[in-house]
Amino acid sequence: MTPLMPEITVNGRVIPATDIAAEAQNHNAPADKPGWAWKAAARALVVRALLLQEADNLGLAPAPQMITKGKQETDDESLIRAVLEQRIDIPNITEMQCRDIYDTRTGSFRAPSLFQPAHILFAARPEDKDARKMAKQGATAALTEVTKNPKNFARVAKELSACPSKDNGGALGQIGSGDTVPEFEAVLNILKAGELHTEVVETRFGFHIIRMDEKIDGDILPFASVMPQIMEKLEQIAWAKAARTLTLNLVTQAKIIGIDMANPKEKAA
C-alpha cells in the first residue's frame, strides 16, 4: 500500500486500507507510480460501497445466482446486480437503429475471409530488445532482396525463416479470419492476391515478410443474420452508459472523504 494515504469514508463508513491494498492488486500501474493502483482501487471500492448502500436504501436482500457452473455470486455481488437491475432502465433497441448501424458499416459485417499467405519469420522474444533489433534488421534486408527479386522468396524463406513453413517456401496454406495474431491479420486484410507487403510486420513472434498468394474475401452478411449481434452490442453500450450515469449520480449525492472521484486520471505524487 502507498504510505500516508488518507482514510477514505463513504457517507461516514470507512473503507479499510487493507481492502484497498487487496483491490490494488487488480489494477495495473507503472512500477514507479504505485499510487495509481491504490487510487484506482480506492475509487472502485467507493463505487462498490455506494451501490451496496443503495441496496440498503432500496431494502434489497441478497439472492445470489449462479454465474457459471460451480460458481455463485457473493451476497454483495447479488445486491449490486439487483441495484443495477432496479435502477437502470434501458430503452428498447429498435430494428431501425440496428439497420442504421448496418447501413453505415456494411463492410464490417462479412463472413470470414480465406487467405493463402506466405511469410518469412525472423523470430525474437518480445522481452529481448537486442534480439528484436537484430531480427528487424535481418527482416528489412531480406525484404529488400525479395522485393528486387520476387522469385527468391522461397529460397530466402528456406534459408532464413524461423517458421516450419520454410520447408514449403514460406507458404502457410489456407487460413481464415481469426487464425493469426491481430497484427498479422491486419496485413492479410489489406493485401491483394499476388501482392508482397512493402514493410516488415512486427508481432510478438518477431518480424515477418508477408506475401499474399490467394485470397477470398468473405461475402457481406445479410442484415437479418447480423441484427441480433448489432442489437446486443447496442444494448451493451446503452447499459454501460446508464450504469455510468447512475454511478455519477450516487457519487454526486454522497459525502466522500479521502479520494477525489471527479478526477479518475489524477496522477499519484
Side-chain angles (χ1 to χ4, degrees), residues 43-124:
R43 291 187 179 101
L45 292 182
V46 166
V47 171
R48 182 183 181 87
L50 287 171
L51 290 170
L52 290 173
Q53 289 176 16
E54 183 66 8
D56 286 341
N57 295 337
L58 295 172
L60 300 176
Q65 295 182 359
M66 297 301 295
I67 302 173
T68 58
K69 186 177 181 180
K71 185 176 182 181
Q72 182 173 279
E73 292 176 325
T74 65
D75 284 353
D76 283 355
E77 289 170 342
S78 73
L79 287 171
I80 290 171
R81 173 181 49 77
V83 169
L84 296 175
E85 289 175 350
Q86 186 160 330
R87 290 292 309 273
I88 291 179
D89 183 21
I90 301 175
N92 291 330
I93 304 299
T94 66
E95 181 176 336
M96 182 175 295
Q97 288 174 290
C98 295
R99 170 63 76 172
D100 287 342
I101 296 294
Y102 179 82
D103 288 343
T104 56
R105 306 177 190 173
T106 302
S108 301
F109 303 103
R110 290 182 176 273
S113 297
L114 294 176
F115 311 106
Q116 211 166 301
H119 82 139
I120 303 170
L121 170 63
F122 290 77

Side-chain angles (χ1 to χ4, degrees), residues 3 15 63 85 98 118 149 155 162 164 177 195 212 224 227 232 251:
I15 297 180
E85 289 175 350
C98 295
N149 301 287
R155 177 185 61 78
S177 299
E195 188 176 10
M212 181 63 68
M227 189 182 81
E232 180 180 6
V251 168

Side-chain angles (χ1 to χ4, degrees), residues 3-25:
L4 304 179
M5 287 297 185
E7 181 177 77
I8 294 177
T9 62
V10 181
N11 293 323
R13 299 182 188 178
V14 176
I15 297 180
T18 53
D19 289 358
I20 299 174
E23 174 66 21
Q25 307 304 311

Side-chain angles (χ1 to χ4, degrees), residues 148-222:
K148 292 180 179 178
N149 301 287
K151 292 182 180 180
N152 290 343
F153 191 99
R155 177 185 61 78
V156 173
K158 187 172 182 62
E159 293 176 356
L160 301 178
S161 182
C163 178
S165 64
K166 68 181 182 179
D167 293 331
N168 296 317
L172 290 170
Q174 190 176 87
I175 61 177
S177 299
D179 287 344
T180 65
V181 292
E183 306 94 324
F184 196 98
E185 185 166 324
V187 174
L188 301 186
N189 285 325
I190 62 174
L191 284 178
K192 298 177 182 178
E195 188 176 10
L196 175 71
H197 194 49
T198 57
E199 298 178 0
V200 297
V201 178
E202 182 176 6
T203 72
R204 64 174 177 266
F205 301 109
F207 293 83
H208 309 252
I209 299 169
I210 304 176
R211 185 186 69 197
M212 181 63 68
D213 293 339
E214 298 289 344
K215 182 177 183 180
I216 301 175
D217 289 323
D219 293 334
I220 292 176
L221 298 169

